[in-house]
Amino acid sequence: MTVRIAMWSGPRNISTAMMRSFGARTDCAVSDEPFYGAFLKASGEPHPLAAETTESMDCDWKSVLATQSGSAPGSKPIWYQKHMPHHMIGDVGIEQMPDHTHAFLIRAPERVVASYKAKNELRAPEMLGFAQVREYFESEAERTGKAPPVIDSDAILANPAGVLEKLCGSLGIAWDSAMLQWEKGPHPEDGVWAAHWYDKVNASTGFGPPRGGLPKLDGEYQKTVDACRDDYDFMAQYAIAA
């Protein structure tokens, strides 16, 4: 039986580093934002490499869902799927993924905003997914009767082994120290959008050092941080501590 892990986050949450971490396990397949193409086709969002992304992917919501709910690539016993709830604007959602084990990755909004604005135009807080992450978390908690796992990016960088070992326990899989290192450069599972978004993770072979103080922002960027604060604080109270 395959353990399908759906890890939900917004963009710029070290989500690709987490995909690299799970992909370093020999018993784990990974998927890189499989609903992204369907989102771009339905929304018309002018993301970098949007045309190339939709051309390279299955853009039918239900077809993607069927694939992600089916057999794991290579018949691996663990399947890590990197997802973003703000991409789920079609007729599928977390409620149609009851056979997945759901978990949530969060990051301080100051760090997310500072990172995102360097890569793409930031027009609204909804583009960062904080409210949608909380909505999905609450939906899954109500369905199962318990809070699903939450991990904070800063905690992972401060103590990768400690946090990831606890995360693995909460997901019902064995801890594997191979998750602490990966091969440098692009990986076969990466989406075509990696050429724009993944430069830093492609230069890495493991989790980086803990970040310093929070970035200083002003104007509309600080307003975006403020709009995301309550949802981040709500999620942070459930975050796994090493």
Side-chain angles (χ1 to χ4, degrees):
M1 179 179 177
T2 300
V3 178
R4 296 182 191 84
I5 300 166
M7 181 63 77
W8 299 94
S9 76
R12 316 309 289 173
N13 276 244
I14 73 164
S15 56
T16 307
M18 285 293 295
M19 182 177 70
R20 290 280 191 271
S21 176
F22 276 84
R25 301 175 61 120
T26 59
D27 61 354
C28 186
V30 299
S31 293
D32 190 9
E33 300 180 39
F35 290 99
Y36 190 25
F39 163 75
L40 290 173
K41 184 176 180 180
S43 68
E45 276 287 333
H47 283 198
L49 299 175
E52 293 85 348
T53 297
T54 55
E55 289 171 3
S56 70
M57 300 182 74
D58 181 355
C59 295
D60 178 84
W61 296 103
K62 292 184 178 179
S63 175
V64 177
L65 175 64
T67 297
Q68 299 307 120
S69 302
S71 300
S75 300
K76 298 283 187 176
I78 303 171
W79 188 0
Y80 182 91
Q81 302 175 8
K82 173 188 169 192
H83 294 301
M84 297 194 176
H86 64 290
H87 286 171
M88 309 295 278
I89 61 173
D91 54 359
V92 299
I94 192 173
E95 67 278 359
Q96 292 167 292
M97 302 168 73
D99 295 328
H100 286 67
T101 299
H102 298 278
F104 296 84
L105 175 65
I106 61 172
R107 193 183 193 190
E110 291 89 348
R111 299 198 194 282
V112 174
V113 170
S115 181
Y116 192 93
K117 73 183 184 69
K119 288 290 187 179
N120 195 25
E121 181 186 8
L122 180 54
R123 302 187 308 277
E126 290 75 19
M127 297 176 71
L128 303 180
F130 281 87
Q132 295 92 330
V133 164
R134 178 176 178 174
E135 178 184 344
Y136 268 31
F137 172 87
E138 291 180 321
S139 173
E140 181 64 6
E142 181 177 358
R143 184 182 75 87
T144 63
K146 62 180 181 180
V150 177
I151 48 174
D152 192 294
S153 299
D154 281 350
I156 297 169
L157 297 179
N159 187 349
V163 173
L164 290 173
E165 182 172 5
K166 287 192 173 181
L167 173 63
C168 287
S170 68
L171 295 172
I173 62 175
W175 157 243
D176 186 343
S177 61
M179 296 174 70
L180 298 176
Q181 290 186 310
W182 50 81
E183 292 294 324
K184 187 176 182 179
H187 285 220
E189 303 86 359
D190 296 349
V192 299
W193 56 90
H196 178 81
W197 296 96
Y198 292 0
D199 52 329
K200 288 186 177 180
V201 75
N202 284 345
S204 72
T205 58
F207 292 100
R211 302 290 194 265
L214 295 174
K216 301 296 183 182
L217 298 162
D218 54 22
E220 292 301 315
Y221 293 125
Q222 184 58 47
K223 289 181 181 178
T224 299
V225 168
D226 295 341
C228 298
R229 173 65 59 194
D230 285 349
D231 293 318
Y232 170 76
D233 288 345
F234 173 84
M235 295 294 295
Q237 68 182 319
Y238 297 99
I240 294 170

